[in-house]
Protein backbone atom coordinates (compact mmCIF):
# COMPACT_ATOMS: atom_id res chain seq x y z
CA UNK A 1 0.00 0.00 0.00
CA UNK A 2 1.26 3.49 -0.86
CA UNK A 3 0.91 5.39 2.43
CA UNK A 4 1.27 8.70 0.60
CA UNK A 5 -2.35 8.41 -0.50
CA UNK A 6 -3.62 8.19 3.08
CA UNK A 7 -4.51 11.28 5.08
CA UNK A 8 -6.12 11.98 8.44
CA UNK A 9 -9.54 12.43 6.87
CA UNK A 10 -9.45 8.98 5.28
CA UNK A 11 -8.38 7.43 8.57
CA UNK A 12 -11.26 9.12 10.36
CA UNK A 13 -13.64 7.80 7.72
CA UNK A 14 -12.22 4.31 8.18
CA UNK A 15 -12.70 4.56 11.92
CA UNK A 16 -16.29 5.73 11.45
CA UNK A 17 -17.04 2.89 9.02
CA UNK A 18 -15.62 0.24 11.35
CA UNK A 19 -17.31 1.72 14.40
CA UNK A 20 -20.74 2.12 12.80
CA UNK A 21 -20.54 -0.92 10.46
CA UNK A 22 -22.97 1.03 8.29
CA UNK A 23 -22.15 3.35 5.39
CA UNK A 24 -25.06 5.75 5.93
CA UNK A 25 -24.47 6.12 9.68
CA UNK A 26 -20.74 6.57 9.08
CA UNK A 27 -21.55 9.30 6.56
CA UNK A 28 -23.81 11.06 9.07
CA UNK A 29 -21.09 10.82 11.69
CA UNK A 30 -18.59 12.45 9.33
CA UNK A 31 -21.10 15.04 8.10
CA UNK A 32 -21.06 13.94 4.46
CA UNK A 33 -23.53 12.30 2.11
CA UNK A 34 -23.95 8.56 1.69
CA UNK A 35 -22.61 8.55 -1.91
CA UNK A 36 -19.45 10.35 -0.77
CA UNK A 37 -18.88 7.81 2.01
CA UNK A 38 -19.46 4.93 -0.42
CA UNK A 39 -16.82 6.44 -2.71
CA UNK A 40 -14.47 6.82 0.26
CA UNK A 41 -15.01 3.17 1.23
CA UNK A 42 -14.20 2.13 -2.34
CA UNK A 43 -10.99 4.17 -2.22
CA UNK A 44 -10.01 2.67 1.14
CA UNK A 45 -10.62 -0.83 -0.21
CA UNK A 46 -8.17 -0.17 -3.01
CA UNK A 47 -5.56 1.38 -0.68
CA UNK A 48 -5.70 -1.49 1.82
CA UNK A 49 -6.34 -4.24 -0.73
CA UNK A 50 -9.08 -5.51 1.58
CA UNK A 51 -12.91 -5.33 1.46
CA UNK A 52 -12.87 -3.73 4.96
CA UNK A 53 -16.66 -4.09 5.33
CA UNK A 54 -18.51 -7.16 4.09
CA UNK A 55 -22.25 -7.74 3.91
CA UNK A 56 -23.76 -10.57 5.98
CA UNK A 57 -27.29 -11.62 6.92
CA UNK A 58 -26.96 -9.46 10.04
CA UNK A 59 -25.65 -6.42 8.18
CA UNK A 60 -22.20 -5.06 7.42
CA UNK A 61 -19.27 -6.52 9.39
CA UNK A 62 -15.71 -5.22 9.55
CA UNK A 63 -13.01 -7.58 8.33
CA UNK A 64 -10.18 -8.55 10.71
CA UNK A 65 -7.85 -6.28 8.72
CA UNK A 66 -10.23 -3.31 9.08
CA UNK A 67 -10.60 -3.88 12.81
CA UNK A 68 -6.85 -4.19 13.25
CA UNK A 69 -6.15 -0.94 11.40
CA UNK A 70 -8.96 0.94 13.17
CA UNK A 71 -7.66 -0.12 16.58
CA UNK A 72 -4.16 1.04 15.71
CA UNK A 73 -5.11 4.39 14.23
CA UNK A 74 -7.44 5.32 17.08
CA UNK A 75 -4.54 6.18 19.38
CA UNK A 76 -2.75 8.03 16.57
CA UNK A 77 -5.83 10.16 15.90
CA UNK A 78 -6.14 10.94 19.61
CA UNK A 79 -2.53 12.13 19.65
CA UNK A 80 -3.17 14.32 16.60
CA UNK A 81 -6.27 15.80 18.24
CA UNK A 82 -4.29 16.38 21.41
CA UNK A 83 -1.56 18.21 19.52
CA UNK A 84 -4.08 20.41 17.70
CA UNK A 85 -6.13 21.26 20.78
CA UNK A 86 -3.27 21.67 23.29
CA UNK A 87 -3.94 24.88 25.17
CA UNK A 88 -7.50 25.21 23.89
CA UNK A 89 -10.26 25.13 26.52
CA UNK A 90 -11.81 21.72 27.08
CA UNK A 91 -15.57 21.62 26.56
CA UNK A 92 -16.83 18.45 28.29
CA UNK A 93 -20.35 18.84 26.91
CA UNK A 94 -19.07 18.54 23.33
CA UNK A 95 -15.88 16.50 23.80
CA UNK A 96 -15.51 13.02 22.31
CA UNK A 97 -12.40 12.11 24.29
CA UNK A 98 -11.44 8.57 25.28
CA UNK A 99 -9.68 8.24 28.64
CA UNK A 100 -7.76 5.09 29.57
CA UNK A 101 -7.53 4.72 33.35
CA UNK A 102 -5.49 2.09 35.15
CA UNK A 103 -7.24 1.80 38.51
CA UNK A 104 -6.88 -0.60 41.41
CA UNK A 105 -9.91 -2.63 42.38
CA UNK A 106 -10.60 -0.59 45.51
CA UNK A 107 -10.52 2.60 43.40
CA UNK A 108 -12.94 0.98 40.98
CA UNK A 109 -15.25 0.22 43.89
CA UNK A 110 -14.96 3.49 45.84
CA UNK A 111 -14.49 6.16 43.17
CA UNK A 112 -15.45 4.93 39.70
CA UNK A 113 -19.26 4.82 40.26
CA UNK A 114 -19.30 8.50 41.25
CA UNK A 115 -16.79 9.45 38.55
CA UNK A 116 -18.65 7.76 35.72
CA UNK A 117 -22.00 9.14 36.91
CA UNK A 118 -20.42 12.59 36.88
CA UNK A 119 -18.99 12.11 33.37
CA UNK A 120 -22.29 10.82 32.02
CA UNK A 121 -24.02 13.93 33.34
CA UNK A 122 -21.61 16.58 32.06
CA UNK A 123 -19.65 14.83 29.28
CA UNK A 124 -21.96 12.28 27.66
CA UNK A 125 -19.73 11.65 24.61
CA UNK A 126 -16.62 10.98 26.69
CA UNK A 127 -15.61 7.32 26.85
CA UNK A 128 -13.75 5.74 29.76
CA UNK A 129 -11.84 2.45 29.67
CA UNK A 130 -10.72 1.11 33.04
CA UNK A 131 -8.23 -1.71 33.55
CA UNK A 132 -6.14 -2.94 36.50
CA UNK A 133 -2.66 -1.39 36.63
CA UNK A 134 0.31 -3.62 35.88
CA UNK A 135 2.39 -2.66 38.91
CA UNK A 136 5.84 -3.38 37.39
CA UNK A 137 4.87 -1.43 34.24
CA UNK A 138 3.16 1.65 35.65
CA UNK A 139 5.65 4.09 34.18
CA UNK A 140 5.74 2.24 30.86
CA UNK A 141 1.94 2.24 30.64
CA UNK A 142 1.91 6.03 31.03
CA UNK A 143 4.89 6.66 28.77
CA UNK A 144 3.52 4.54 25.94
CA UNK A 145 -0.04 5.83 26.20
CA UNK A 146 -1.52 2.53 27.36
CA UNK A 147 -2.99 4.53 30.25
CA UNK A 148 -3.65 8.24 30.58
CA UNK A 149 -3.90 8.04 34.35
CA UNK A 150 -3.00 5.50 37.03
CA UNK A 151 -5.04 5.67 40.24
CA UNK A 152 -3.81 3.27 42.89
CA UNK A 153 -1.91 2.68 46.12
CA UNK A 154 1.75 2.46 45.10
CA UNK A 155 4.27 2.16 47.91
CA UNK A 156 7.21 2.75 45.56
CA UNK A 157 6.01 5.00 42.76
CA UNK A 158 8.29 5.15 39.70
CA UNK A 159 10.49 8.23 39.43
CA UNK A 160 9.67 10.98 36.97
CA UNK A 161 5.88 10.83 37.20
CA UNK A 162 3.51 13.55 38.26
CA UNK A 163 1.23 12.63 41.16
CA UNK A 164 -1.25 13.93 43.68
CA UNK A 165 -2.92 12.28 46.66
CA UNK A 166 -6.65 11.55 46.52
CA UNK A 167 -7.47 9.84 49.82
CA UNK A 168 -6.05 7.78 52.61
CA UNK A 169 -7.56 5.09 54.78
CA UNK A 170 -6.50 2.64 57.43
CA UNK A 171 -6.34 -1.10 56.98
CA UNK A 172 -8.74 -3.27 58.94
CA UNK A 173 -9.07 -6.96 59.59
CA UNK A 174 -12.41 -8.62 58.97
CA UNK A 175 -13.64 -11.83 60.56
CA UNK A 176 -17.00 -13.61 60.62
CA UNK A 177 -19.39 -12.53 63.37
CA UNK A 178 -19.58 -16.14 64.54
CA UNK A 179 -15.86 -16.82 64.24
CA UNK A 180 -15.01 -19.70 66.62
CA UNK A 181 -12.05 -17.92 68.26
CA UNK A 182 -12.38 -14.17 67.68
CA UNK A 183 -14.84 -11.99 69.58
CA UNK A 184 -14.44 -8.24 69.13
CA UNK A 185 -10.66 -8.03 69.59
CA UNK A 186 -7.75 -9.58 67.76
CA UNK A 187 -4.37 -10.53 69.17
CA UNK A 188 -1.20 -10.91 67.14
CA UNK A 189 -1.15 -14.63 67.95
CA UNK A 190 -4.70 -14.98 66.62
CA UNK A 191 -3.84 -12.95 63.52
CA UNK A 192 -0.81 -15.07 62.67
CA UNK A 193 -2.39 -18.36 63.67
CA UNK A 194 -5.62 -17.94 61.71
CA UNK A 195 -5.77 -18.71 57.98
CA UNK A 196 -6.16 -15.67 55.72
CA UNK A 197 -8.03 -14.92 52.52
CA UNK A 198 -5.40 -13.27 50.31
CA UNK A 199 -5.98 -11.10 47.24
CA UNK A 200 -3.65 -12.74 44.73
CA UNK A 201 -2.42 -11.15 41.51
CA UNK A 202 -1.83 -14.03 39.17
CA UNK A 203 -0.83 -17.42 40.52
CA UNK A 204 1.82 -16.35 43.01
CA UNK A 205 2.00 -12.59 43.57
CA UNK A 206 0.00 -10.59 46.09
CA UNK A 207 -1.43 -7.09 45.89
CA UNK A 208 0.37 -4.07 47.31
CA UNK A 209 -1.58 -4.42 50.56
CA UNK A 210 -0.85 -8.14 50.88
CA UNK A 211 2.85 -7.46 50.28
CA UNK A 212 2.75 -4.75 52.96
CA UNK A 213 1.24 -7.18 55.46
CA UNK A 214 3.75 -9.95 54.72
CA UNK A 215 6.72 -7.58 54.91
CA UNK A 216 5.54 -6.20 58.27
CA UNK A 217 5.18 -9.71 59.66
CA UNK A 218 8.53 -10.75 58.21
CA UNK A 219 10.31 -7.94 60.06
CA UNK A 220 8.89 -9.42 63.27
CA UNK A 221 10.01 -12.90 62.23
CA UNK A 222 6.45 -14.11 61.58
CA UNK A 223 4.57 -15.68 58.69
CA UNK A 224 0.80 -15.91 58.41
CA UNK A 225 -1.12 -18.90 57.12
CA UNK A 226 -2.97 -18.56 53.80
CA UNK A 227 -6.28 -20.37 53.59
CA UNK A 228 -7.48 -19.05 50.21
CA UNK A 229 -6.05 -17.04 47.34
CA UNK A 230 -8.77 -14.98 45.71
CA UNK A 231 -8.78 -13.10 42.39
CA UNK A 232 -10.56 -10.10 43.89
CA UNK A 233 -10.32 -8.20 47.14
CA UNK A 234 -14.06 -7.55 46.87
CA UNK A 235 -14.75 -11.28 47.14
CA UNK A 236 -12.95 -11.47 50.49
CA UNK A 237 -15.84 -10.19 52.67
CA UNK A 238 -18.30 -12.83 51.49
CA UNK A 239 -15.69 -15.58 51.84
CA UNK A 240 -14.71 -14.40 55.32
CA UNK A 241 -18.34 -14.06 56.48
CA UNK A 242 -18.93 -17.75 55.79
CA UNK A 243 -15.68 -19.21 57.10
CA UNK A 244 -12.98 -19.00 59.77
CA UNK A 245 -10.67 -17.00 57.47
CA UNK A 246 -9.42 -13.47 58.12
CA UNK A 247 -8.72 -10.77 55.54
CA UNK A 248 -6.89 -7.45 55.72
CA UNK A 249 -8.61 -4.85 53.55
CA UNK A 250 -9.09 -1.04 53.36
CA UNK A 251 -11.34 0.32 56.08
CA UNK A 252 -14.03 1.82 53.85
CA UNK A 253 -14.49 -1.45 51.98
CA UNK A 254 -14.58 -3.34 55.28
CA UNK A 255 -17.24 -1.09 56.79
CA UNK A 256 -19.32 -1.09 53.61
CA UNK A 257 -19.57 -4.87 53.56
CA UNK A 258 -20.04 -5.09 57.34
CA UNK A 259 -23.39 -3.36 56.80
CA UNK A 260 -24.49 -6.19 54.51
CA UNK A 261 -22.70 -9.28 55.84
CA UNK A 262 -22.15 -10.77 59.28
CA UNK A 263 -18.64 -9.39 59.78
CA UNK A 264 -16.49 -8.07 62.57
CA UNK A 265 -14.27 -5.11 61.67
CA UNK A 266 -11.15 -5.25 63.82
CA UNK A 267 -8.02 -3.20 64.35
CA UNK A 268 -4.88 -4.94 63.06
CA UNK A 269 -2.65 -6.18 65.90
CA UNK A 270 0.46 -4.98 64.05
CA UNK A 271 1.58 -1.54 62.81
CA UNK A 272 0.42 -1.27 59.21
CA UNK A 273 0.86 1.87 57.12
CA UNK A 274 -2.25 3.65 55.89
CA UNK A 275 -3.32 3.14 52.30
CA UNK A 276 -2.62 6.32 50.32
CA UNK A 277 -4.48 6.34 47.01
CA UNK A 278 -2.95 8.73 44.48
CA UNK A 279 -3.18 9.70 40.83
CA UNK A 280 -0.08 9.31 38.64
CA UNK A 281 0.42 10.69 35.15
CA UNK A 282 3.20 11.37 32.67
CA UNK A 283 4.76 14.80 32.30
CA UNK A 284 3.56 15.04 28.69
CA UNK A 285 -0.06 15.15 29.95
CA UNK A 286 0.54 17.80 32.60
CA UNK A 287 -0.83 20.74 30.58
CA UNK A 288 -3.31 18.86 28.39
CA UNK A 289 -6.71 20.52 28.95
CA UNK A 290 -8.70 17.30 28.76
CA UNK A 291 -6.35 15.54 31.13
CA UNK A 292 -6.42 18.44 33.59
CA UNK A 293 -10.20 18.27 33.50
CA UNK A 294 -10.20 14.53 34.19
CA UNK A 295 -7.85 14.94 37.15
CA UNK A 296 -10.14 17.62 38.56
CA UNK A 297 -13.13 15.27 38.28
CA UNK A 298 -11.24 12.62 40.25
CA UNK A 299 -10.36 15.16 42.96
CA UNK A 300 -13.97 16.21 43.31
CA UNK A 301 -15.40 12.71 43.60
CA UNK A 302 -12.64 11.76 46.06
CA UNK A 303 -13.09 14.86 48.23
CA UNK A 304 -15.80 13.32 50.48
CA UNK A 305 -13.46 10.40 51.15
CA UNK A 306 -10.25 12.41 51.48
CA UNK A 307 -10.34 12.87 55.25
CA UNK A 308 -8.74 10.01 57.21
Amino acid sequence: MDHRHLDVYLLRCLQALVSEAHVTRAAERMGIGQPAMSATLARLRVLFADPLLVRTQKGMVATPRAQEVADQVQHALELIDQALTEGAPFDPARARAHFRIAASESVGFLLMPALIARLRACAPAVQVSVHPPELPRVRQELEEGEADLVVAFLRNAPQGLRSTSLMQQKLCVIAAQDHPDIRGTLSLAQYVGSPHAMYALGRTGGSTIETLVDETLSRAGMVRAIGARLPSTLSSPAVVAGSDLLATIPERIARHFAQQLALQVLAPPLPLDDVHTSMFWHERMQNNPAHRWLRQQFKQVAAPLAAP
Side-chain angles (χ1 to χ4, degrees):
M1 180 182 70
D2 189 347
H3 297 84
R4 293 174 298 176
H5 295 286
L6 272 175
D7 55 30
V8 173
Y9 175 76
L10 282 175
L11 292 176
R12 292 191 191 279
C13 287
L14 173 62
Q15 195 176 37
L17 286 163
V18 172
S19 176
E20 299 293 343
H22 194 281
V23 174
T24 301
R25 288 199 299 266
E28 292 172 352
R29 178 167 164 178
M30 292 298 297
I32 62 177
Q34 189 270 342
M37 182 58 76
S38 294
T40 300
L41 175 58
R43 183 181 175 190
L44 287 167
R45 284 169 167 165
V46 172
L47 289 172
F48 285 96
D50 187 272
L52 301 178
L53 287 180
V54 294
R55 192 174 301 280
T56 70
Q57 291 182 346
K58 296 182 179 181
M60 301 290 279
V61 176
T63 65
R65 174 61 173 155
Q67 190 63 62
E68 176 189 10
V69 173
D71 291 343
Q72 291 175 346
V73 302
Q74 179 175 342
H75 182 55
L77 291 174
E78 289 171 358
L79 290 176
I80 292 172
D81 290 340
Q82 176 183 321
L84 296 176
T85 60
E86 195 78 43
F90 179 72
D91 182 0
R94 302 178 63 183
R96 301 186 66 87
H98 180 194
F99 296 118
R100 298 175 180 84
I101 302 171
S104 64
E105 190 176 41
S106 60
V107 169
F109 181 76
L110 294 172
L111 296 182
M112 292 310 297
L115 178 75
I116 291 179
R118 189 182 187 91
L119 299 191
R120 296 303 305 156
C122 66
V126 165
Q127 181 182 351
V128 176
S129 298
V130 184
H131 65 271
E134 297 183 47
L135 298 182
R137 297 185 65 254
V138 164
R139 177 167 183 150
Q140 185 178 349
E141 278 197 88
L142 293 170
E143 284 182 341
E144 298 182 1
E146 297 173 22
D148 300 305
L149 196 64
V150 171
V151 189
F153 169 43
L154 302 181
R155 295 174 63 204
N156 300 300
Q159 296 295 316
L161 296 178
R162 293 271 187 166
S163 68
T164 189
S165 177
L166 286 177
M167 63 179 181
Q168 84 178 70
Q169 55 186 319
K170 296 184 180 300
L171 288 172
C172 290
V173 181
I174 53 174
Q177 283 283 10
D178 59 355
H179 194 283
D181 302 315
I182 297 170
R183 293 286 188 273
T185 60
L186 181 65
S187 69
L188 183 57
Q190 288 174 317
Y191 184 81
V192 175
S194 300
H196 287 243
M198 174 184 180
Y199 173 28
L201 300 176
R203 295 184 178 181
T204 57
S207 69
T208 304
I209 290 174
E210 302 292 0
T211 301
L212 170 64
V213 170
D214 287 336
E215 289 179 355
T216 304
L217 287 172
S218 179
R219 286 194 293 270
M222 299 179 179
V223 178
R224 59 179 173 158
I226 303 299
R229 297 180 182 271
L230 304 174
S232 165
T233 192
L234 299 182
S235 62
S236 298
V239 170
V240 167
S243 69
D244 63 342
L245 301 181
L246 306 181
T248 306
I249 62 176
E251 181 178 20
R252 288 188 179 90
I253 294 177
R255 298 203 180 280
H256 172 86
F257 282 103
Q259 296 175 359
Q260 306 173 25
L261 302 170
L263 291 171
Q264 303 178 64
V265 180
L266 308 161
L270 66 165
L272 295 174
D273 294 338
D274 289 353
V275 174
H276 292 265
T277 300
S278 299
M279 290 188 293
F280 302 88
W281 64 96
H282 195 270
E283 177 67 32
R284 65 186 174 81
M285 305 301 289
Q286 171 65 12
N287 296 318
N288 178 270
H291 201 276
R292 282 203 309 264
W293 178 84
L294 177 64
R295 299 195 302 263
Q296 186 61 32
Q297 304 314 300
F298 258 111
K299 289 179 181 178
Q300 291 179 5
V301 300
L305 306 177

